Amino acid sequence: MPHNNKLAETTGLEAENPRRAALKQMALLFGLSLSAQSLDALAATVKGTMPHVTKFLSPDQLQMTGEIADLIIPTTDTPGALAVNVHGFMDSYLAECVSKNDQKKFLDGLKKINKVAEDKFGKVFLACSHKQHIQLLTAIEKYDLGFTPEDKDFFTQFKSLTLFGYYTSEVGATQELAYLPIPGGYKGNFPFAKVGKAWALN
């Protein structure tokens, strides 16, 4: 189609491999920006072909990141964020794709959650109960317990990264989202109830 060809020429997606193009489109969808050199590393992480060695986060920070991501996307009838290694993806993303300033903001965000957890419950986030975890994350959304709008900005970015990492994983794209490897003809007026899920990128 001429329109699609023009779009491909404009974005340069036609010349990129499908995984790289899909990652770039998903990043734009979640409000993230990725440099071209970062895409191969992220694609390998999401695909699960890269052996996981912590690149940026400490072991405790990595575990905390995984716990928070799993509260955002818990296991239901499909695996949750922790089960699909979203925290490993975020570790790679922080190491490869963001500035030193943004890395510091992420670590400051984790430190703030731990500080509030210690002030409120007398223990760090990882030692808190599931109920206390929910209280802490809810407090970030409501600027309660000493959390500020800047803390909410951090949490918003955290949620975006969680969604991006999850829905670009094999599980997220093929089990959580509806997936059809060989799509048929375009149907512009299709009742959502017949599908019940959003579609993965093909």
Side-chain angles (χ1 to χ4, degrees), residues 37 100 104-105 141 183 199:
Q37 62 267 31
K100 295 289 185 188
K104 182 179 183 301
K105 285 181 181 178
E141 295 282 3
W199 285 97

Side-chain angles (χ1 to χ4, degrees), residues 42-106:
L42 287 179
T45 304
V46 171
K47 194 175 179 181
T49 57
M50 180 180 291
H52 185 68
V53 177
T54 301
K55 294 180 177 178
F56 174 71
L57 299 171
S58 70
D60 281 350
Q61 290 165 344
L62 184 68
Q63 187 179 355
M64 183 176 175
T65 299
E67 292 292 336
I68 295 173
D70 209 52
L71 290 165
I72 295 169
I73 304 180
T75 295
T76 54
D77 58 333
T78 55
L82 192 60
V84 303
N85 194 31
V86 165
H87 52 310
F89 156 77
M90 292 172 73
D91 181 51
S92 294
Y93 179 84
L94 290 165
E96 306 285 346
C97 305
V98 303
S99 66
K100 295 289 185 188
N101 186 49
D102 286 339
Q103 289 177 339
K104 182 179 183 301
K105 285 181 181 178
F106 189 90

Side-chain angles (χ1 to χ4, degrees), residues 56-175:
F56 174 71
L57 299 171
S58 70
D60 281 350
Q61 290 165 344
L62 184 68
Q63 187 179 355
M64 183 176 175
T65 299
E67 292 292 336
I68 295 173
D70 209 52
L71 290 165
I72 295 169
I73 304 180
T75 295
T76 54
D77 58 333
T78 55
L82 192 60
V84 303
N85 194 31
V86 165
H87 52 310
F89 156 77
M90 292 172 73
D91 181 51
S92 294
Y93 179 84
L94 290 165
E96 306 285 346
C97 305
V98 303
S99 66
K100 295 289 185 188
N101 186 49
D102 286 339
Q103 289 177 339
K104 182 179 183 301
K105 285 181 181 178
F106 189 90
L107 295 182
D108 288 345
L110 295 182
K111 285 179 186 174
K112 181 65 176 287
I113 293 174
N114 265 334
K115 180 181 184 307
V116 174
E118 290 179 318
D119 291 344
K120 175 71 177 174
F121 304 116
K123 48 193 172 186
V124 296
F125 180 85
L126 286 174
C128 290
S129 66
H130 179 76
K131 183 179 179 181
Q132 291 167 337
H133 287 163
I134 298 295
Q135 281 183 262
L136 288 165
L137 299 189
T138 302
I140 298 175
E141 295 282 3
K142 296 181 176 179
Y143 312 142
D144 198 8
L145 302 179
F147 286 114
T148 64
E150 288 74 25
D151 298 323
K152 186 174 181 179
D153 289 343
F154 155 75
F155 191 46
T156 299
Q157 180 74 358
F158 192 109
K159 289 188 287 187
S160 294
L161 285 173
T162 300
L163 295 176
F164 180 58
Y166 186 81
Y167 287 108
T168 51
S169 72
E170 182 176 352
V171 168
T174 61
Q175 296 184 35

